[in-house]
Each structure stands twice: as structure tokens, then as C-alpha cells.
Amino acid sequence: MTTTLADGVSTREVREPGRRWLPHWAAGYLFLSPWFLGFFGLTLAPALVSLYLSFTEFDLLRDPRWIGLGNYTRLATNDPKFVAAMRVTFTYVLFAVPLKLIFALSVAMLLNKGVRGLSIYRALFYLPSLLGASVAIAVLWRQLFAGDGLVNQIVLAVFGVQGPAWIADPEYSLYTLVILSIWQFGSPMIIFLAGLRQIPQDVYEAAEMDGVSRRRVFLRITLPLLSPVIFFNAVVQTIDAFKAFTPAFIISDATGGPVNSTLFYTLYLYQEAFAYFRMGYASALAWVLVVIVAIFTVFSFLTSRYWVHYDE
Amino acid sequence: MNDQPRAASGGRAAISSNSLLRHVLLCAASLVMLYPLLWMLASSFKPESEIFHSMSILPSHLDFDSYVRGWFGLRDTFGTFFLNSAIIAVLAVIGNVLSCSLAAFAFARLEFPGKTIFFSLMLGTLMLPYHVTLIPQYVMFLHLGWVDSILPLVVPKFLAADAFFIFLLVQFFRGIPRELDEAAMMDGCSPWRIYCKIMLPLSLPALATAAIFTFIWTWDDFFGPLIYLNDMSNYTAQLGLRSFVDSTGKSDWGALFAMSSLTLLPVFIVFIFFQRLLIEGVATTGMKR
């Protein structure tokens, strides 16, 4: 049996090997079979089921009971904890992401000037990004920002005053987590550094010949040429920040306290699902998160055309 | 902070003083960043009384007491937790590399009906927060009787559930010259042989990157084990550490720091050995951490 392979090699009229007993496209499905199982069994079907569950009351013991928009109306009108979780999460995103990116860009620009020992600095700055997601670092943060922790010891030694109680103080607790996020600026920094390397050097040389000030070089050359990378980092970091969980869980003993000040959205979702077994309500929370992330993504792609410059 | 000296601004002296300033800034920044880590490590060797009164990153003498107290601090030892973590991480690495490279080969090299649609669906799952599939997955694993075993943590890896790595490998496979597999196909090689004998051997750097990141992410994973593992004898290192926090509270920071340092050790070792690969991986694929 002689057939022509689709695309790619079609121009060559390839003779198929003799012992072929399957159509030529079967190989593709065979190679994809684990992914098919995963995609339908672990992603698509569960996503649809969770959409269904979000319209029900479900505690694992009894069958789900249809309550229409009940969960969503409760979310929108009668759930102070949901409001707290939204406020905490948005505050976190609003502070952590820009500060982390500013840090990452500043250090990347310092490193891009041809510093000796670049690879050592790069590795040192990257290390916290790699370790940061673990429970151990959250444990460390708990001690650092305890009332009698290392930070307050330093504050006392340097300024001679007793610092605030940080994680035990609802005014500050969230910001200790923002600091933890900034501490992990290493991976966006590496991406910025790779982006800075792509900017042709002669653009800078030309600007210098014309005596353009540093500020203008930064605003008119570096930022625009780097904007695709800034955009990428901003989107990835924001989505990641919406999903933050472990540090808040460890630092607040799974409560999101004090006074809900570290009640990240995902922590609240976890509590609803696995502490109170309100699976229907938690599913509604999950879908609200999807909608938020989707709106954010669409919004950033729509606005990107006004500030992100791609090469022709 | 944002001093950006131009490379060729006014004379030698200016250049060297600028670069000195940069080094001072960078050194100071790395010190501030690493100080907490070093302090934690040092504290794990300090006697309890010293931890809260010493900011030094050098313990006065090496004291392994905290390690012993921590290791045996719970009903099951940290040996059990580390073993569980290692088993899960190794299986996850094998599963992820295998299933993702199979899928990536299909997307990069094979032709079949619906390929474009499936590829976009695969990319779509990248954006989907895992919370959406979480609860039905949990219910499903509960009905399968898999809760409180490592299966819910490992089986999805064999089903290419982490689309990110498929994407990474597709990108890499596309960079391998097509002439190679066309020639092999002319010689009557099956797709399976092309995958085994050409694609995999030529993709070792990408496969290694995928393996290393899978290892680190699985080792650090907290949410999955938290939900699926109940009995302490099944705990991973992260989960064990969390229980230890709960049981000691603030009473034994030395032991907590000792066990924290130990759970960081495998990731740190991987970092030391595969630093270049990790950093290149982040730079070229934009990995988020």
C-alpha cells in the first residue's frame, strides 16, 4: 500500500514501510494517548464537573443538590470572608508584582553593564526564587517576622526601638508576604537579562553620539525595546500571585489571620473545600478565580498593543 | 539604587569607580538576600538559648542536637518523610519526561486529524488555574480509593498533565533539523524508532531541564500532599515539616531550622550541579521560578 504522508514530507512521495497495518495518522494518536487520557480525564471532564458543582450544594457525603445561582449570589452579596479574600489578594498582587519587577529590572540592568562575576551574582540572586516556594522558607519567614524574630532584633540593635509584631499584626502581616515575594525576584531578573541582551548595542551607541541623556535612553530605548519581556513577566507573575498559597498557609497556621489579613483567595478556597467540605461553594470560588484571571489576561493583551512594541 | 553608568563615560577613572560602585551595590544586595538563609543554617547548629540572641551567621560551635531532636520529633521520623518525597519526586520525573516527550513528539513531528485543535487545547490548559479541576479530581480519586496514597500525586505526571513541559519540548523538537527524521523515515524507520533513536538523544538538554524542574517542583509541592496524604507514615518532607511546625509551635526553633535546612538541601544540591541548565531554562522558556 502506497500513500502520501500529509504535510512536511508530502512533496517527496515517501514510500511507506511494508509491514504497515495502521493508517499513517494512527501514530500521532498513539503518541498522544497519555495526554488524551490526562486531558479528558484530569482536565476537561473535571472542569465541566466543577462548573456543575458550582451550582450545587455538595459535602462529599450526600449527592450534590442543585441550588441554581445560590453559591454565586452568596458570594456576591453575603460573604464578608470572600470580600476579605478578594481585598487581600488584590492588595498582594498590586504591591508584590510591580515591586518585584522593578527590583528584577534594576538588578538586571546593573548586571547587564558587563560586571565581572556576572554568573555568580546571577546564580546567587536566582537561588531564592528556586527555594522560595518551599515550606522551609515560609517557616523561616515566620521566625524572621515574629515579634521577637530576627528582623526586630536588627531593628532594635540599629534603631533602638521595638519593631511591630509583623505577622501577628494585621496592619503588616500581608506586607511580610509581599517582601517574601520580592525576595524571589531572581527568575524575572534572568528573563529581563536575556531580554536586555537582545537589544542591539548600536542603538545605544547612536544615542550616545547624539548626547541623549541617560534618563531618555532608558525611557525611549530600553523600556520600549524591552516591553515584550516586561509584558511577559508581568502576566506570568500576576497569574502566579493570584495563586499564592503556601506562605500564607504556613505563616497563619492555615487560618488566613490575623483578622483575615493574609486570607489569600486560594487559602479561602482550600478552607471551604477541605476544612468545611463545602465543595459546591469552593467550586464556585474556583470559577470566579478563572473569570478573574481570564479578564485580567484578556485586558492585558488588549492594552498591550498600546505599549508593547514587537519587531515587524 | 538605579544608577546606570554608561560604559564609556568620561575616562578610565570614571569607569573603574562606576564598576566599583556596581560591585558594592551587588554585593550588598546579595548579602541582604542570602543573610536569612545563612542565618537559618547557622541557627540550626546553635544551642536553643543562642538563637534568639545572636544575629551571627557563624555558630559558636557545631551542635547537632537540633538535628537529632528534629529528626525524631514526630511519630514517624524525617527519614520516612524524605523517602516518601524521594519516591514521589523520582516517579514524577520519569512520568513527566516520558509522557510529555511522547506528546511533544506527536505535536512537533507527526500529522494527524485534529492536531491544531488539540495543540490549542493543550496551550489553553496552561492558562487554566488548577483550582478548577481540583475538587472533581479529588472526588474521583476518593472514589478510586487513591486518597492517602501517592497515586494522585504521581499518576497525573504519567498522563502529561503538566502542559508546560509539553510546550517546552515541542519548542525544542522543532529546532531539530527535519532532514534527520525524513532520512530515517525513508530508510523505513517507524515513528517510535525516530522518537527513541533520534529525537530523545538529540534533546538531552531539554529533557534534563524538564527533569530538573519537575524534581524541584515536586519536591517543593505542598498543596498536593496536603490534600491527598492523611496518615503521617505517607507524609512528604514538606508535609512533615508543616506538622512539625504545628507540634512544636514556637518552642523549638533550633529543631525546626534543622529540619527546614534539610528539606532545602536536595534542591540546593540540584542548584549547585545544574545551575547553568536551570538559569538557561528560565532565560529561554520564561519559567516562573
Side-chain angles (χ1 to χ4, degrees):
Chain A
M1 186 174 112
T2 315
T3 52
T4 310
L5 286 179
D7 283 32
V9 283
S10 58
T11 46
R12 287 200 193 175
E13 195 75 12
V14 178
R15 203 170 230 293
E16 299 242 340
R19 287 178 290 112
R20 186 173 284 277
W21 46 274
L22 283 170
H24 74 266
W25 43 262
Y29 289 133
L30 280 176
F31 274 87
L32 267 190
S33 51
W35 179 78
F36 277 132
L37 261 177
F39 177 71
F40 291 108
L42 295 173
T43 305
L44 190 61
L48 295 175
V49 171
S50 111
L51 188 60
Y52 161 72
L53 286 178
S54 75
F55 297 105
T56 68
E57 211 174 71
F58 180 41
D59 61 2
L60 284 184
L61 299 173
R62 283 159 297 181
D63 284 339
R65 192 171 66 85
W66 184 267
I67 53 167
L69 286 171
N71 288 327
Y72 292 100
T73 38
R74 198 189 128 202
L75 270 178
T77 57
N78 190 21
D79 184 358
K81 258 189 126 178
F82 170 75
V83 177
M86 290 289 265
R87 209 188 46 234
V88 167
T89 309
F90 274 95
T91 312
Y92 178 73
V93 169
L94 226 59
F95 280 92
V97 176
L99 288 173
K100 189 180 193 172
L101 292 187
I102 289 170
F103 238 85
L105 183 56
S106 312
V107 177
M109 289 183 65
L110 271 180
L111 287 177
N112 194 42
K113 301 289 171 183
V115 179
R116 201 175 297 159
L118 166 82
S119 58
I120 297 173
Y121 285 124
R122 203 174 45 178
L124 288 180
F125 288 132
Y126 177 58
L127 185 61
S129 290
L130 205 56
L131 302 177
S134 63
V135 174
I137 296 301
V139 169
L140 172 61
W141 236 247
R142 230 179 115 130
Q143 201 288 338
L144 291 183
F145 290 98
D148 53 358
L150 182 66
V151 169
N152 275 354
Q153 279 187 58
I154 295 173
V155 168
L156 189 64
V158 176
F159 302 104
V161 289
Q162 176 61 39
W166 302 113
I167 56 167
D169 184 337
E171 288 267 332
Y172 296 100
S173 51
L174 182 59
Y175 299 98
T176 65
L177 296 174
V178 169
I179 294 172
L180 175 55
S181 167
I182 299 170
W183 187 63
Q184 301 169 49
F185 71 83
S187 60
M189 178 207 75
I190 289 174
I191 297 167
F192 277 136
L193 202 51
L196 286 170
R197 294 256 161 106
Q198 301 289 315
I199 300 178
Q201 215 48 48
D202 48 349
V203 185
Y204 286 115
E205 279 157 21
E208 191 167 356
M209 299 262 259
D210 295 346
V212 183
S213 74
R214 270 183 225 168
R215 220 172 75 90
R216 276 178 71 89
V217 169
F218 176 71
L219 290 176
R220 294 298 169 85
I221 299 177
T222 311
L223 276 188
L225 287 178
L226 203 60
S227 55
V229 184
I230 298 174
F231 176 67
F232 174 86
N233 270 338
V235 170
V236 169
Q237 293 297 332
T238 305
I239 294 179
D240 209 38
F242 272 117
K243 298 195 231 165
F245 176 78
T246 308
F249 183 95
I250 298 292
I251 286 176
S252 73
D253 283 321
T255 63
V259 212
N260 293 338
S261 61
T262 59
L263 186 69
F264 281 7
Y265 196 88
T266 48
L267 184 53
Y268 181 45
L269 195 155
Y270 166 84
Q271 290 179 349
E272 284 296 313
F274 297 99
Y276 306 121
F277 294 101
R278 291 196 276 258
M279 297 285 180
Y281 197 61
S283 299
L285 283 172
W287 276 96
V288 169
L289 181 66
V290 172
V291 170
I292 293 171
V293 170
I295 290 175
F296 162 77
T297 312
V298 168
F299 177 77
S300 43
F301 274 91
L302 286 181
T303 54
S304 71
R305 73 173 75 165
Y306 299 108
W307 65 275
V308 178
H309 302 260
Y310 291 102
D311 289 342
E312 300 316 308
Chain B
M1 169 90 242
N2 227 331
D3 184 77
Q4 296 137 16
R6 277 175 300 171
S9 59
R12 283 218 125 168
I15 293 173
S16 65
S17 81
N18 275 339
S19 92
L20 186 70
L21 185 64
R22 274 201 298 276
H23 274 293
V24 170
L25 271 176
L26 288 168
C27 279
S30 8
L31 261 178
V32 170
M33 291 197 48
L34 297 182
Y35 175 65
L37 286 174
L38 295 171
W39 179 79
M40 174 170 79
L41 185 65
S43 297
S44 70
F45 293 107
K46 292 173 190 167
E48 192 67 18
S49 58
E50 217 178 288
I51 292 179
F52 276 82
H53 305 289
S54 156
M55 292 173 237
S56 161
I57 53 173
L58 291 171
S60 54
H61 56 280
L62 282 188
D63 182 346
F64 285 91
D65 249 23
S66 300
Y67 282 84
V68 178
R69 279 201 318 280
W71 191 266
F72 298 105
L74 293 169
R75 194 194 77 203
D76 292 279
T77 67
F78 268 79
T80 313
F81 307 149
F82 275 95
L83 185 67
N84 291 334
S85 276
I87 293 170
I88 293 171
V90 167
L91 288 174
V93 167
I94 296 170
N96 232 353
V97 170
L98 194 70
S99 63
C100 291
S101 66
L102 284 170
F105 179 70
F107 283 131
R109 282 300 206 264
L110 301 174
E111 296 302 329
F112 49 91
K115 176 167 145 174
T116 358
I117 297 166
F118 291 131
F119 191 69
S120 344
L121 285 175
M122 188 273 290
L123 291 182
T125 60
L126 277 173
M127 306 295 271
L128 197 69
Y130 66 90
H131 310 83
V132 169
T133 54
L134 178 72
I135 288 162
Q137 274 188 22
Y138 182 82
V139 175
M140 181 175 78
F141 291 137
L142 193 68
H143 282 291
L144 288 171
W146 287 6
V147 169
D148 209 14
S149 81
I150 65 168
L151 290 173
L153 304 173
V154 164
V155 171
K157 309 283 182 184
F158 280 86
L159 300 178
D162 213 337
F164 177 79
F165 292 106
I166 305 181
F167 182 64
L168 183 152
L169 291 172
V170 166
Q171 296 296 88
F172 196 89
F173 287 171
R174 280 180 179 160
I176 295 174
R178 257 183 193 274
E179 288 75 26
L180 287 173
D181 33 319
E182 279 174 26
M185 210 180 293
M186 302 273 246
D187 292 341
C189 267
S190 65
W192 173 252
R193 274 178 63 93
I194 295 173
Y195 164 79
C196 292
K197 301 284 175 188
I198 298 177
M199 295 311 250
L200 290 191
L202 288 177
S203 316
L204 285 182
L207 296 174
T209 305
I212 292 165
F213 277 102
T214 307
F215 176 82
I216 294 174
W217 293 353
T218 315
W219 186 271
D220 277 350
D221 184 24
F222 176 62
F223 197 73
L226 177 69
I227 287 170
Y228 286 114
L229 303 178
N230 303 324
D231 193 89
M232 192 180 272
S233 61
N234 292 326
Y235 276 13
T236 60
Q238 308 291 332
L239 220 45
L241 191 56
R242 185 255 162 157
S243 297
F244 198 43
V245 177
D246 281 355
S247 72
T248 64
K250 293 173 182 169
S251 58
D252 194 352
W253 281 107
L256 257 176
F257 284 159
M259 291 305 105
S260 295
S261 306
L262 277 189
T263 62
L264 292 178
L265 191 65
V267 176
F268 187 71
I269 291 173
V270 168
F271 169 76
I272 294 292
F273 281 99
F274 300 103
Q275 217 206 89
R276 281 193 71 90
L277 218 51
L278 285 167
I279 287 172
E280 272 166 28
V282 174
T284 53
T285 66
M287 225 132 356
K288 58 180 176 278
R289 58 176 169 92

